[in-house]
Amino acid sequence: MNAPHVDVEQVESANTAFYEALEQGDFEKVSAFWLTPSDLGVDETYHDPADAGVVSCVHPGWPVLTGRGEVLRSYALIMANTDYIQFFLTDVHVSVTGDTALVTCTENILSGGPAPDGDEELGPLVGQLVVATNTFRRTPAGWKLWSHHASPVLAETDDEDGPEDTGTGPGTGADPEGTPS
C-alpha cells in the first residue's frame, strides 16, 4: 500500500486533473475519471455497464443522477452548452482511508455562454460559488470518481431576512443547460 502522503498527493492530482478536463471541454478525459464496471470487478456480460457500480452526481439545482451513463450524459450536455468555464479551487481538503478518498473544496466558477445575436465573442461572464465533495476509489488505473456532489453557497446579506441567493440554485440557471460543477 502507498504511504498516506503519496495517496493524498495522487488524489489531489486526480481531482485537479478532473476539473482541468472540464475546463478543456474534453469529454473523453472527463469520462476516464469516472469508475467503470471493470474498475469494480463487475462482469459487464451480466450487468448493464451504464448502471454497474452506481456512480452518482449532484450538480447544483439538479436531481441526483445515478449510473455511469446518466452521469456522463449530464457532463456531455453541460459541455455542449457552456462555451467557457474555469474553476478556481480553494479550501481543498483530502482525506484517504484505505481505497477510498474524500475531497472537499470550494469551486469558484467563472463561466460564459454564447454571445447574444450570434456574435463571435462570449456572452457575459458569470461567477458562481459552489462547495463540492468528490469521492474517489483506488483502482488499478489510479484514483477514479465514485461520486460528485455540489451545492451552491448562499451569500450573507445585511438584511435580517436571511441569506441571499447567489443565483446558482434551482430555477436560477443551474439547470441541464446551465453551468454546474
Side-chain angles (χ1 to χ4, degrees):
M1 184 182 285
N2 289 335
H5 69 280
V6 172
D7 287 343
V8 168
E9 289 172 4
Q10 290 174 347
V11 170
E12 189 165 5
S13 177
N15 191 65
T16 300
F18 170 70
Y19 285 100
E20 288 172 353
L22 281 172
E23 289 177 345
Q24 296 162 3
D26 189 329
F27 182 74
E28 295 303 316
K29 282 184 182 177
V30 169
S31 298
F33 281 101
W34 284 91
L35 282 171
T36 65
S38 61
D39 292 327
L40 300 170
V42 174
D43 184 348
E44 293 180 48
T45 308
Y46 300 103
H47 294 88
D48 180 356
D51 292 325
V54 188
V55 298
S56 66
C57 180
V58 177
H59 300 295
W62 290 37
V64 177
L65 305 173
T66 57
R68 193 169 193 275
E70 193 172 322
V71 169
L72 293 180
R73 276 190 294 280
S74 76
Y75 281 103
L77 184 62
I78 290 161
M79 287 186 243
N81 289 289
T82 306
D83 287 352
Y84 174 82
I85 192 163
Q86 189 170 9
F87 294 89
F88 300 94
L89 301 181
T90 57
D91 309 314
V92 177
H93 179 74
V94 179
S95 176
V96 179
T97 301
D99 292 335
T100 304
L102 194 66
V103 179
T104 57
C105 62
T106 300
E107 300 173 352
N108 300 272
I109 305 169
L110 185 61
S111 62
D117 301 324
D119 199 0
E120 295 290 319
E121 302 278 324
L122 278 176
L125 294 177
V126 176
Q128 298 176 358
L129 192 61
V130 174
V131 291
T133 302
N134 296 320
T135 306
F136 288 83
R137 282 199 50 185
R138 185 192 321 265
T139 73
W143 291 94
K144 293 200 178 181
L145 275 165
W146 188 1
S147 181
H148 169 80
H149 187 130
S151 298
V153 175
L154 301 180
E156 291 186 31
T157 66
D158 291 336
D159 298 338
E160 292 186 24
D161 294 336
E164 178 182 302
D165 193 338
T166 61
T168 58
T172 58
D175 55 58
E177 309 228 349
T179 306
S181 64

